[in-house]
Amino acid sequence: LKKLIGIDLGGTSVKFAVLSFDGEIQYKWRIETNINNDGKNIVPSIIESIKENLEQYRITSNDILGIGMGSPGAINGKEGTVIGAYNLGWKTLQRVKEQIESAIGIPFYIDNDANVAALGELWKGAGEGDTDVIFVTLGTGIGGGVIVQGNLVHGASAAGELGHIIVDPDGYVCTCGNQGCLETVASATGIVRLAKDLAKEFKGDSSLKLIIDEGSNITSKMVFEQAKDDELARIVIDKFSYYLGLASGNIVNILNPNTIVIGGGVSAAGEMLIENVEKYFLKYTFPPLRSTTKLKLAKLGNEAGVIGAAWLVRKSISDIKQD
Amino acid sequence: LKKLIGIDLGGTSVKFAVLSFDGEIQYKWRIETNINNDGKNIVPSIIESIKENLEQYRITSNDILGIGMGSPGAINGKEGTVIGAYNLGWKTLQRVKEQIESAIGIPFYIDNDANVAALGELWKGAGEGDTDVIFVTLGTGIGGGVIVQGNLVHGASAAGELGHIIVDPDGYVCTCGNQGCLETVASATGIVRLAKDLAKEFKGDSSLKLIIDEGSNITSKMVFEQAKDDELARIVIDKFSYYLGLASGNIVNILNPNTIVIGGGVSAAGEMLIENVEKYFLKYTFPPLRSTTKLKLAKLGNEAGVIGAAWLVRKSISDIKQD
């Protein structure tokens, strides 16, 4: 059985992995992302790095079924192009598939980074064995991937904009221009925003409030860490949980997936996060559907991207058979 | 090419149609639904009616590819069973497929009535030519069907509970027990509820308010009919439109379908309904996705059910090929 190559292209580093056909990571490495010069060096350095490493591990292109990649920006999967990936410097259309296939001679597949991470969690992570999985990644912003019957949902243009589900029509203004998007209150930045706002009206003892009042920076991690002893931190987490629970409940009312997987930096808060969100999640789910959709933490962490990218390759085989 | 039979099973009547392979209705008829005796006569009378009519039109079972049906209640498509269809008297498990196949000898397919109507609109209605369609039916309650890449989404148990999307967490209590479900404010009953509540605080001249204050019954139809000349009616429609627009916008943020199709009795209000809802729909849609999803009135009216049921049959062929 041939091997798979998975690539997770990000604004600071490019992660690579060679995986077995069954998704076991056999080799992995990373390089820095060189975003200078409108990101013109990114694809050439990826090509070079693959060639070097295959040679080092004595793998020929004949041993490889294909290369998969998760990328920021707006992706055209069929054409294998990327546009508007600003954290890579890619403002104009990048013909990634064309460049990589002609240089390495192996079939290439690409999708949006959050989508690819969703596939990783479906294949080897919290959604293993499921067919319908929603992946929500809580980082600086919020990304998402929607998988139905094992397939990514792309919709008319770009499905899975879960960070822009409106959870409070009178809420904070989002970077997208709308008001009350989930991202404004449930991303790492959103949690800090909630903490600062709720601190203003909080009257009790709180070390979190002291730090905020001093004008020092706080992080979403600090909020979760202090929840045990700090009343304000608990209020912030409760508010965050309400919003994420409301959005997740409504996802069930529309799609009733097997699992909603919560990943991204904020999910490092662990089971405490799930417990808090679950209370609201169950409340806002249509009663007959409660207990049919599970809410789970992501399992693969940083490796979801390369594993899901490899699944893009692996899955292409069964898709071809169906055509 | 063989013909298809589509059946739309409802609480007051059962609609039948014989359709060409391409979905043209060739014959149609209906019988009353006899819900006496726990609905025990329903399936036998369907069998009898099919036999009679095939004979009358001189069609043999050899001419028929299969029979499809939309039914209320919780459906198990594989087993071909229905349970909990209370408006049919079906409290216990009904083995519909088994009875019909053994009596008529033609393959039988069944799905939820709202799902089947969604398929009808996808095949021959407002979503013709699309792959991803959401169907929202605004009647006494609200039903829904979610279609992704031409396939109904069933999820872990029952996707498409669009009437139970929470649009106002502090809103009216729903029959399901939750608060602020879309159904409480955007169904025919919900519109009447909004009108009665908004009439209380309305101070201006309004014939709608006069009728309500007299204690006479109003209908959602009356609200739409009076919108031209009645300020209160316009306020009610605006509030209804806000809720339906918010839910529809969030559907786009999650699934970005080609089309959201609005059907059911309330949709008889016509293009005025779409115009009002669209304002909020666009507002709550993630800006880059505005204009990618269309909001449309259903086209097939009462025939969506039999046409979609026939599509269940037609589609079964291509599904078999892919297995």
Side-chain angles (χ1 to χ4, degrees):
Chain A
L1 288 172
K2 290 194 174 192
K3 296 178 196 298
L4 316 165
I5 294 181
I7 305 177
D8 180 4
L9 173 56
T12 52
S13 72
V14 190
K15 300 186 195 76
F16 299 79
V18 174
L19 300 91
S20 71
F21 189 77
D22 291 324
E24 295 303 312
I25 294 181
Q26 300 182 323
Y27 311 103
K28 56 180 183 173
W29 70 96
R30 65 167 73 199
I31 61 175
E32 269 176 45
T33 310
N34 178 352
I35 63 169
N36 295 332
N37 202 8
D38 292 336
K40 279 202 179 66
N41 299 320
I42 294 177
V43 174
S45 66
I46 287 173
I47 292 169
E48 198 195 323
S49 182
I50 292 176
K51 283 185 173 170
E52 270 178 25
N53 280 272
L54 289 188
E55 203 175 292
Q56 186 194 329
Y57 298 124
R58 300 190 181 182
I59 302 169
T60 69
S61 56
N62 243 335
D63 302 324
I64 303 287
L65 187 64
I67 301 173
M69 182 191 277
S71 168
I75 315 292
N76 182 324
K78 245 183 201 163
E79 303 289 327
T81 58
V82 180
I83 193 167
Y86 301 102
N87 59 341
L88 303 176
W90 288 357
K91 289 162 219 156
T92 59
L93 192 80
Q94 306 291 316
R95 305 191 175 280
V96 183
K97 177 184 163 83
E98 203 176 286
Q99 292 176 70
I100 292 188
E101 287 191 346
S102 73
I104 311 197
I106 302 176
F108 177 83
Y109 307 88
I110 187 166
D111 209 316
N112 170 276
D113 47 7
N115 280 347
V116 164
L119 287 178
E121 290 290 340
L122 174 83
W123 190 20
K124 293 287 169 182
E128 196 175 345
D130 292 339
T131 59
D132 292 31
V133 169
I134 309 291
F135 181 63
V136 188
T137 164
L138 311 175
T140 315
I142 292 184
V146 176
I147 298 169
V148 170
Q149 284 297 313
N151 296 308
L152 276 171
V153 179
H154 290 102
S157 157
E161 289 291 354
L162 307 182
H164 299 281
I165 296 173
I166 310 277
V167 290
D168 182 1
D170 303 315
Y172 301 107
V173 173
C174 181
T175 50
C176 79
N178 276 355
Q179 248 183 298
C181 294
L182 183 63
E183 183 164 294
T184 65
V185 287
S187 62
T189 345
I191 292 168
V192 169
R193 177 187 285 124
L194 284 179
K196 285 182 177 168
D197 255 26
L198 290 165
K200 285 180 202 154
E201 47 192 76
F202 183 77
K203 301 293 174 204
D205 277 348
S206 159
S207 51
L208 190 63
K209 183 178 164 68
L210 284 177
I211 300 169
I212 293 169
D213 288 351
E214 272 172 6
S216 301
N217 282 332
I218 60 159
T219 63
S220 63
K221 195 176 167 213
M222 285 166 64
V223 174
F224 280 101
E225 281 170 358
Q226 302 203 10
K228 240 189 187 167
D229 316 301
D230 193 301
E231 175 71 13
L232 175 62
R234 277 197 295 273
I235 293 173
V236 173
I237 292 169
D238 187 64
K239 194 101 184 181
F240 153 86
S241 301
Y242 158 78
Y243 287 121
L244 187 56
L246 175 61
S248 303
N250 276 338
I251 287 173
V252 177
N253 300 331
I254 298 169
L255 286 172
N256 189 21
N258 305 106
T259 309
I260 297 178
V261 179
I262 311 288
V266 173
S267 73
E271 287 301 331
M272 192 230 306
L273 183 152
I274 297 292
E275 284 160 24
N276 277 278
V277 176
E278 198 150 55
K279 197 174 48 179
Y280 292 104
F281 169 61
L282 290 175
K283 177 171 178 179
Y284 295 121
T285 295
F286 182 49
L289 299 183
R290 283 171 195 164
S291 84
T292 64
T293 300
K294 297 172 295 293
L295 191 70
K296 289 187 186 173
L297 287 175
K299 263 190 185 171
L300 303 179
N302 280 335
E303 290 181 346
V306 293
I307 294 175
W311 180 245
L312 276 183
V313 178
R314 170 78 191 263
K315 194 168 183 321
S316 68
I317 314 174
S318 49
D319 289 347
I320 290 166
K321 275 192 196 149
Q322 284 187 6
D323 279 349
Chain B
L1 288 172
K2 291 194 176 192
K3 297 178 194 299
L4 316 164
I5 294 181
I7 305 176
D8 181 3
L9 173 55
T12 52
S13 72
V14 190
K15 300 186 195 77
F16 299 80
V18 174
L19 300 93
S20 72
F21 190 77
D22 291 325
E24 295 304 312
I25 293 180
Q26 300 182 324
Y27 311 102
K28 58 179 182 174
W29 69 96
R30 66 166 74 196
I31 60 175
E32 270 177 42
T33 310
N34 177 354
I35 64 168
N36 295 332
N37 201 8
D38 292 339
K40 280 203 178 65
N41 299 320
I42 294 176
V43 174
S45 65
I46 287 174
I47 291 169
E48 200 196 319
S49 182
I50 293 177
K51 283 185 174 171
E52 270 177 27
N53 279 273
L54 289 189
E55 204 175 291
Q56 188 195 326
Y57 298 124
R58 298 188 184 185
I59 301 168
T60 68
S61 56
N62 243 336
D63 301 324
I64 303 287
L65 187 66
I67 301 173
M69 183 190 277
S71 168
I75 315 291
N76 181 325
K78 246 185 201 160
E79 304 288 329
T81 58
V82 180
I83 193 167
Y86 301 104
N87 59 340
L88 303 175
W90 288 358
K91 289 163 219 156
T92 58
L93 191 80
Q94 307 290 318
R95 303 190 176 280
V96 183
K97 176 185 166 82
E98 202 176 286
Q99 292 175 71
I100 293 189
E101 287 192 346
S102 73
I104 312 196
I106 301 175
F108 177 84
Y109 308 87
I110 188 167
D111 209 315
N112 171 274
D113 48 6
N115 280 347
V116 163
L119 287 178
E121 290 290 339
L122 174 83
W123 191 19
K124 294 286 167 181
E128 197 174 343
D130 292 339
T131 58
D132 292 31
V133 169
I134 308 291
F135 181 63
V136 188
T137 165
L138 310 176
T140 316
I142 293 185
V146 176
I147 297 169
V148 170
Q149 283 298 311
N151 295 307
L152 278 170
V153 179
H154 290 101
S157 155
E161 290 291 354
L162 308 181
H164 299 281
I165 296 173
I166 310 277
V167 289
D168 182 1
D170 302 315
Y172 300 107
V173 173
C174 181
T175 51
C176 79
N178 277 354
Q179 248 183 298
C181 294
L182 182 64
E183 182 165 295
T184 65
V185 287
S187 62
T189 346
I191 292 169
V192 170
R193 177 187 285 124
L194 285 179
K196 287 183 176 169
D197 255 27
L198 291 165
K200 285 180 202 156
E201 47 193 73
F202 184 75
K203 301 292 176 207
D205 276 347
S206 158
S207 51
L208 189 64
K209 182 178 164 70
L210 284 176
I211 301 169
I212 292 169
D213 287 350
E214 272 172 6
S216 300
N217 283 332
I218 61 157
T219 63
S220 63
K221 197 178 163 210
M222 287 166 62
V223 174
F224 280 101
E225 280 170 359
Q226 303 203 8
K228 240 189 188 168
D229 315 301
D230 194 301
E231 174 73 13
L232 174 61
R234 277 197 293 274
I235 293 173
V236 174
I237 292 168
D238 187 64
K239 193 100 184 184
F240 153 86
S241 301
Y242 159 77
Y243 288 121
L244 187 55
L246 175 61
S248 303
N250 275 339
I251 287 172
V252 177
N253 299 333
I254 298 169
L255 286 171
N256 189 22
N258 305 106
T259 309
I260 297 178
V261 180
I262 311 288
V266 173
S267 73
E271 287 301 332
M272 192 228 310
L273 184 151
I274 298 292
E275 284 160 24
N276 277 279
V277 176
E278 199 150 54
K279 196 174 48 179
Y280 293 105
F281 170 61
L282 291 175
K283 177 170 178 181
Y284 295 122
T285 295
F286 181 50
L289 299 183
R290 284 174 196 161
S291 82
T292 63
T293 299
K294 297 173 297 291
L295 192 68
K296 289 187 185 173
L297 287 176
K299 264 192 185 170
L300 303 179
N302 280 335
E303 290 181 345
V306 293
I307 294 174
W311 180 247
L312 275 184
V313 178
R314 169 79 191 264
K315 193 166 184 325
S316 66
I317 314 172
S318 51
D319 288 348
I320 290 166
K321 275 194 195 144
Q322 284 188 6
D323 280 351

